[in-house]
Amino acid sequence: MADQQPTQPRTFSEQEVEEIVEKAVNKAVAKTKDPEQRRGLFRDPIWQFIAVLVTILAILAAYNIFFLDRKVKSVRITILANTSLAQVADAVAEDIQLLYKGNPIPGLSLVQIKLENDGNVDIRSEDYETPITLIFPPQATVINAEVIDSEPSGLDLSMNWQDNRVTLPKTLLNAEERFVIQFLVVEP
């Protein structure tokens, strides 16, 4: 083998550097003149579809995180029934008498409501500012109130009623628990 002498790095003039860069740029531009290469990766329809799909999934994930994972305390009261059980017409009021427990009344209605925690957090008794009070029309009188259904079954709710007002106690209402309460109301 012949002795090899180390080569000295070559020094380029400014003009030579400009020519080398210009050739490289022209070569790159020449490659991109081909329409297939100019389309690029993200201009391909399959990648556009994937980008739209990923965007939709990101929006759904953000919605889920923001709205569905929020802690919500909410009590909903729904009127299930408001039915007149008996009403004496004015034309026959002198001939017919309607009695409830031996006392004459002008008419009787059955009202059912559903009280439920429709939020996703338990509502403790200290969470209530005031007890829930149901107010019937001014001339009406509540004569009976009772829980007829609850979820889970066996829950009890001691209520106080006077005239046209029913007050429900400040009670623990776990998420998705509910009561169905039935009232007998004397109508004027």
Side-chain angles (χ1 to χ4, degrees), residues 115-173:
L115 172 79
E116 64 182 319
N117 178 350
D118 65 341
N120 57 8
V121 178
D122 299 344
I123 299 173
R124 302 179 318 251
S125 59
E126 56 267 12
D127 292 333
Y128 296 91
E129 288 182 20
T130 61
I132 296 173
T133 301
L134 305 171
I135 302 172
F136 291 87
Q139 303 83 6
T141 302
V142 176
I143 57 174
N144 190 23
E146 65 179 319
V147 175
I148 60 169
D149 188 24
S150 65
E151 183 63 41
S153 61
L155 294 177
D156 194 23
L157 192 64
S158 59
M159 297 166 277
N160 297 317
W161 64 88
Q162 182 177 2
D163 298 328
N164 67 332
R165 294 175 175 264
V166 177
T167 303
L168 308 175
K170 295 180 179 182
T171 186
L172 171 66
L173 197 56

Side-chain angles (χ1 to χ4, degrees), residues 40-124:
L41 180 65
F42 293 110
R43 292 191 177 186
D44 189 353
I46 189 70
W47 286 108
Q48 288 177 349
F49 173 75
I50 291 172
V52 168
L53 189 62
V54 168
T55 302
I56 291 171
L57 290 175
I59 290 170
L60 290 174
Y63 176 83
N64 185 36
I65 290 169
F66 185 74
F67 288 108
L68 300 181
D69 288 344
R70 289 187 329 178
K71 303 291 184 212
V72 177
K73 290 183 182 182
S74 174
V75 174
R76 177 184 296 181
I77 298 175
T78 308
I79 298 173
L80 301 176
N82 186 4
T83 307
S84 179
L85 297 177
Q87 188 74 36
V88 178
D90 291 338
V92 292
E94 293 179 11
D95 299 328
I96 298 176
Q97 187 177 30
L98 184 60
L99 301 174
Y100 177 76
K101 293 188 177 182
N103 299 317
I105 57 173
L108 187 64
S109 290
L110 174 80
V111 178
Q112 290 182 346
I113 65 158
K114 178 170 61 172
L115 172 79
E116 64 182 319
N117 178 350
D118 65 341
N120 57 8
V121 178
D122 299 344
I123 299 173
R124 302 179 318 251

